[in-house]
Amino acid sequence: MTIPTYSLNNKTQIPSLGLGVWQIEDGQPTIQAVKAAIDSGYRLIDTAAVYGNEQGVGQAIAEFDIDRSDLFITTKLWNSHQGKELTRSAFDASLHKLGLDYVDLYLIHWPTPARDKYVETWHELESIYNEGKAKAIGVSNFHQEHIEKLLANSTVAPAVNQIELHPYFQQRELVEYCRAHDIQVESWSPLGGTGSKLLSDPVINELATRYGKNAAQIIIRWHIQKGFVVIPKSSHPDRIRQNGEVFDFELTDEDMSNIDNLDQNARKGPNPDTMNVS
Ligand code: A2P
């Protein structure tokens, strides 16, 4: 399976689909999941300092016989490490845990507006980028006003905004804003997250029957056809493999609209405007 890529605003290629490892325990569970993903043709692995499993991701990469340049590794700066003094050492610690000398994408995990440090943090990410230690830099969970503030005070525009995005929570205005500014949208909790009701939605399941696919594959395909980077999480090798088998069918425009109509503005995770946890 070859996963198509998108071109980021600095011409770096990002795979349209990857494995998200949030809530996968470090050590063997992470190593197994990452290996299953790479073995199934995935090239993008999405982790974060706060997930606590960068070491497992690194170990899986080291044990797998694959060129580093074929992989796309994302990690994220945790909230309490924002600011001029702490960002660089947090980045270095992530690199060390991953066993890498660069990452493909480094993100500010949350804006944490009450902290009011994301602009100075971004300047440190710009340095990391200019030194080639991150092939691209971006943000996660940023609303329009947070991105506007970055754009007004920086030289490198974010390449990516990774946000909660699934058919029940489509964030259309923010998506449009990102598109207009050449910022690639990446969907977290693309299947609706842990204990997802979306996977048993009747509309999704009717489509699954009709296309001879499962519910997760229908939802993942919807993200791909929307032009989003999609990073479904699973710790089960068989599901990881199935979640990658979405490039051999296409949803019709009408069926895309049927899924568009499921939007309930139903956020599952925290609201970035008020999320200031350390
Ligand atoms: P599991 O790890 O037990 O497979 P997200 O929207 O955050 O990517 O959430 C994915 C959730 O859906 C996880 O809890 C994951 O659990 C589950 N999941 C992932 N892939 C599938 C699948 N193909 N079928 C059913 N559940 C899935």
Side-chain angles (χ1 to χ4, degrees):
M1 175 189 53
T2 304
I3 295 176
T5 59
Y6 304 128
S7 203
L8 297 176
N9 59 14
N10 67 352
K11 305 289 176 250
T12 297
Q13 298 295 306
I14 186 169
S16 49
L17 179 140
L19 177 73
V21 297
W22 184 46
Q23 291 181 327
I24 306 184
E25 207 183 310
D26 198 19
Q28 278 313 313
T30 295
I31 295 169
Q32 253 185 26
V34 172
K35 283 184 167 176
I38 300 174
D39 203 34
S40 308
Y42 290 57
R43 294 296 174 261
L44 189 172
I45 308 296
D46 181 278
T47 183
V50 78
Y51 300 171
N53 54 17
E54 289 170 313
Q55 210 141 8
V57 171
Q59 196 169 332
I61 296 168
E63 288 175 10
F64 210 99
D65 185 18
I66 185 163
D67 276 358
R68 168 70 185 92
S69 59
D70 289 335
L71 294 170
F72 190 105
I73 308 300
T74 303
T75 194
K76 312 183 193 86
L77 175 79
W78 185 239
N79 302 345
S80 52
H81 293 140
Q82 281 199 32
K84 199 167 162 37
E85 305 78 28
L86 298 178
T87 297
R88 178 61 70 133
S89 55
F91 175 74
D92 288 343
S94 284
L95 271 192
H96 181 72
K97 283 186 182 154
L98 287 162
L100 300 176
D101 50 16
Y102 71 91
V103 293
D104 295 276
L105 179 62
Y106 195 47
L107 305 176
I108 300 181
H109 207 144
W110 294 87
T112 61
R115 202 172 258 109
D116 195 21
K117 284 193 169 175
Y118 59 83
V119 172
E120 62 176 80
T121 302
W122 184 252
H123 292 154
E124 198 56 36
L125 264 68
E126 289 182 317
S127 302
I128 290 168
Y129 173 67
N130 288 327
E131 290 162 25
K133 290 184 172 168
K135 301 290 177 196
I137 50 174
V139 294
S140 184
N141 302 299
F142 272 46
H143 282 165
Q144 178 171 334
E145 64 183 285
H146 310 129
I147 298 174
E148 278 169 353
K149 196 163 160 186
L150 274 198
L151 292 177
N153 293 286
S154 58
T155 50
V156 182
V160 166
N161 189 14
Q162 185 184 119
I163 54 176
E164 179 181 351
L165 195 56
H166 43 78
Y168 286 167
F169 187 58
Q170 297 185 28
Q171 305 217 63
R172 289 199 189 115
E173 276 181 31
L174 182 55
V175 166
E176 275 319 305
Y177 174 81
C178 289
R179 283 208 176 115
H181 291 80
D182 205 7
I183 298 170
Q184 173 66 49
V185 172
E186 182 170 22
S187 314
W188 66 257
S189 274
L191 301 174
T194 314
S196 161
K197 293 197 177 81
L198 182 60
L199 284 167
S200 43
D201 184 280
V203 170
I204 300 289
N205 282 279
E206 187 274 324
L207 292 173
T209 307
R210 194 142 49 77
Y211 282 86
K213 289 283 175 181
N214 64 36
Q217 290 168 326
I218 296 291
I219 299 163
I220 293 167
R221 182 71 207 179
W222 174 85
H223 287 275
I224 300 281
Q225 287 184 220
K226 285 277 175 194
F228 306 146
V229 174
V230 58
I231 45 168
K233 173 260 170 181
S234 181
S235 36
H236 298 95
D238 53 333
R239 288 183 176 170
I240 292 171
R241 187 178 31 77
Q242 289 163 17
N243 291 349
E245 292 171 352
V246 294
F247 298 101
D248 55 355
F249 75 108
E250 192 170 344
L251 297 165
T252 63
D253 289 350
E254 191 184 346
D255 289 333
M256 285 295 288
S257 299
N258 287 333
I259 302 178
D260 291 348
N261 291 338
L262 296 178
D263 196 10
Q264 305 172 355
N265 196 25
R267 186 194 292 283
K268 241 191 125 179
N271 184 328
D273 289 336
T274 50
M275 198 297 192
N276 294 293
V277 166
S278 286

